Amino acid sequence: MAKLIILTGAGLSAESGLRTFRDNDGLWENHSVEEICDGRTWRRNFELVHKFYNDRRTGLATSEPNEAHRMIAKWESLYDTIILTQNVDDLLERAGCKNVIHLHGFLPEMTCAKCESIWNIGYTEWRADTPCPTCKSLGEARPRIVFFGEAAPHYRTLWDSLYSLSDRDVLLVIGTSGTVLPISQIAAMHPGVKILNNLGSESAIEDNLFDKVFHMPATQAAKIIDPILKERLQASED
Ligand SMILES: [Zn+2]
């Protein structure tokens, strides 16, 4: 059975009202996010790190999945699908996706840098003076987010998935600028059909490496991509 591999970024959740790091010229309360949420220095910026992610986490409570999230859930139910996202929100899950690989972490979850336990706090704020619920350490709890300068453990899953693709499989990239993940390199290595959806051209992505390019919001593109996938992925079952 042919596979569908979907790689998504901030553009997927933009229509759900989720702001990205890059809004406001990448500044947050006059700090750069790279400076605060850095794997080497986050303890020094402990209060700010928690304030930044508390704001993002509580904001999730009032965001809703959009038609593109729901379409991805539908595709997952129909096809042999791998969903990889750079987004840390849970909108794909709330749209009904069963198995989402979060390459850069997951906002509702916390982790302890000391004992590595993971726990879910939903859309609530984490008070920086609260100890780890497992080992009781203070100052070790952090959002389960891959900070700047840190290795992303699921990149291994990403590359393994990409290397496993055949020319019958479809690669679909939605809403990513290609500045973090090497989208052009990923497209170049895939032997099958490649589809790209972004609002417009991105300087870090070579659109001509893709078979089909849709420059429009993700909800709009999802409706056009739906019959293409149906043709490609159902036909290959014969
Ligand atoms: Zn702990």
Side-chain angles (χ1 to χ4, degrees):
M1 191 178 175
K3 271 188 290 202
L4 169 63
I5 182 162
I6 305 174
L7 187 53
T8 76
L12 174 65
S13 295
E15 290 171 86
S16 293
L18 288 184
R19 292 149 50 82
T20 71
F21 288 140
R22 308 287 161 201
D23 296 339
N24 304 323
D25 299 324
L27 289 181
W28 172 76
E29 299 191 355
N30 293 320
H31 304 280
S32 83
V33 176
E34 286 90 342
E35 166 204 326
I36 302 166
C37 304
D38 187 294
R40 294 151 293 203
T41 57
W42 68 274
R43 280 186 179 82
R44 202 187 302 157
N45 300 313
F46 197 73
E47 299 274 342
L48 280 173
V49 166
H50 283 292
K51 189 167 188 301
F52 178 77
Y53 283 104
N54 280 343
D55 286 353
R56 311 264 103 40
R57 196 180 305 106
T58 52
L60 255 191
T62 51
S63 303
E64 294 291 334
N66 63 48
E67 281 307 313
H69 294 106
R70 279 189 279 273
M71 192 67 92
I72 292 172
K74 179 183 125 175
W75 294 332
E76 187 190 32
S77 73
L78 291 173
Y79 313 122
D80 183 3
T81 305
I82 301 169
I83 305 170
L84 298 145
T85 185
Q86 300 170 82
N87 298 345
V88 298
D89 65 63
D90 64 347
L91 298 181
L92 282 166
E93 284 85 352
R94 275 155 63 187
C97 293
K98 300 279 182 281
N99 189 11
V100 181
I101 298 159
H102 287 271
L103 297 168
H104 295 158
F106 192 52
L107 199 44
E109 289 180 341
M110 301 289 297
T111 186
C112 173
K114 191 172 178 197
C115 73
E116 297 184 348
S117 60
I118 293 167
W119 64 102
N120 192 306
I121 62 167
Y123 309 128
T124 62
E125 292 195 4
W126 175 259
R127 282 187 41 189
D129 60 355
T130 317
C132 163
T134 304
C135 74
K136 313 297 177 199
S137 301
L138 268 173
E140 297 289 342
R142 52 174 283 179
R144 197 166 77 82
I145 300 287
V146 178
F147 290 159
F148 295 95
E150 288 184 321
H154 280 306
Y155 277 14
R156 181 66 198 269
T157 318
L158 167 73
W159 293 109
D160 284 350
S161 304
L162 291 167
Y163 280 115
S164 77
L165 297 178
S166 78
D167 56 4
R168 299 188 318 161
D169 302 329
V170 176
L171 169 70
L172 170 58
V173 177
I174 303 173
T176 177
S177 65
T179 49
V180 178
L181 286 179
I183 300 299
S184 289
Q185 185 195 338
I186 287 169
M189 66 187 271
H190 175 48
V193 169
K194 292 160 270 213
I195 305 170
L196 173 68
N197 164 223
N198 267 330
L199 270 183
S201 289
E202 294 285 348
S203 54
I205 300 178
E206 289 172 61
D207 283 357
N208 60 10
L209 288 170
F210 288 81
D211 301 285
K212 290 181 192 295
V213 178
F214 300 101
H215 285 161
M216 59 184 75
T219 54
Q220 217 176 312
K223 292 192 198 98
I224 303 171
I225 294 166
D226 187 40
I228 299 171
L229 294 181
K230 187 173 179 188
E231 192 195 321
R232 284 281 164 185
L233 295 167
Q234 288 188 343
S236 72
E237 285 173 26
D238 302 334

Coordinates of all heavy atoms in Angstrom, one line a residue, residues 112-117 119 132-137 140, ligand 1:
C112 N 11.0 16.9 33.3 CA 11.9 17.3 34.3 C 13.3 17.0 33.7 O 13.6 15.9 33.2 CB 11.7 16.5 35.5 SG 13.0 16.7 36.8
A113 N 14.2 18.1 33.7 CA 15.5 17.9 33.2 C 16.4 17.0 34.0 O 17.4 16.4 33.5 CB 16.2 19.3 33.1
K114 N 16.0 16.8 35.3 CA 16.8 15.9 36.1 C 16.4 14.4 36.0 O 17.2 13.6 35.7 CB 16.6 16.3 37.6 CG 17.6 15.7 38.5 CD 17.6 16.3 39.9 CE 18.6 15.6 40.8 NZ 18.3 15.9 42.2
C115 N 15.1 14.1 36.2 CA 14.6 12.7 36.2 C 14.0 12.3 34.9 O 13.6 11.1 34.7 CB 13.7 12.4 37.4 SG 12.0 13.1 37.2
E116 N 13.8 13.3 34.0 CA 13.2 13.0 32.6 C 11.8 12.5 32.6 O 11.4 12.0 31.6 CB 14.2 12.1 31.8 CG 15.5 12.7 31.6 CD 16.5 11.8 30.7 OE1 16.1 10.7 30.5 OE2 17.5 12.4 30.3
S117 N 11.1 12.6 33.7 CA 9.7 12.3 33.7 C 8.9 13.3 32.9 O 9.4 14.4 32.7 CB 9.1 12.2 35.1 OG 9.2 13.5 35.8
W119 N 4.9 14.9 32.1 CA 3.5 14.9 32.6 C 2.8 16.0 31.8 O 3.4 17.0 31.3 CB 3.5 15.1 34.1 CG 4.0 16.4 34.6 CD1 3.3 17.5 35.0 CD2 5.4 16.8 34.9 NE1 4.1 18.5 35.5 CE2 5.4 18.1 35.4 CE3 6.6 16.1 34.7 CZ2 6.5 18.8 35.7 CZ3 7.8 16.8 35.0 CH2 7.7 18.1 35.5
C132 N 9.2 19.3 40.7 CA 8.9 18.2 39.8 C 8.0 17.2 40.6 O 8.3 16.9 41.7 CB 10.2 17.5 39.3 SG 9.9 15.8 38.7
P133 N 6.9 16.8 40.0 CA 6.0 15.9 40.7 C 6.6 14.5 41.0 O 6.1 13.8 41.9 CB 4.7 15.8 39.8 CG 5.2 16.3 38.5 CD 6.3 17.2 38.7
T134 N 7.6 14.2 40.3 CA 8.2 12.8 40.5 C 9.4 12.9 41.4 O 9.4 12.2 42.5 CB 8.7 12.2 39.1 OG1 7.5 12.2 38.2 CG2 9.2 10.8 39.3
C135 N 10.4 13.7 41.1 CA 11.7 13.7 41.9 C 11.7 14.8 42.9 O 12.7 14.9 43.7 CB 12.9 13.6 41.0 SG 13.3 15.2 40.2
K136 N 10.7 15.7 42.8 CA 10.6 16.9 43.7 C 11.7 17.9 43.6 O 11.8 18.8 44.4 CB 10.5 16.4 45.2 CG 9.6 15.3 45.5 CD 8.1 15.6 45.2 CE 7.2 14.5 45.4 NZ 5.9 14.6 44.7
S137 N 12.5 17.8 42.5 CA 13.5 18.9 42.3 C 12.9 20.2 42.0 O 11.8 20.3 41.4 CB 14.4 18.5 41.1 OG 15.0 17.3 41.3
E140 N 14.0 22.4 37.8 CA 14.4 21.5 36.8 C 13.2 21.2 35.8 O 13.4 20.6 34.7 CB 14.8 20.1 37.4 CG 16.0 20.2 38.3 CD 17.3 20.5 37.5 OE1 17.3 20.2 36.2 OE2 18.3 20.9 38.1
Ligands
ZN1 ZN 12.1 15.2 38.3

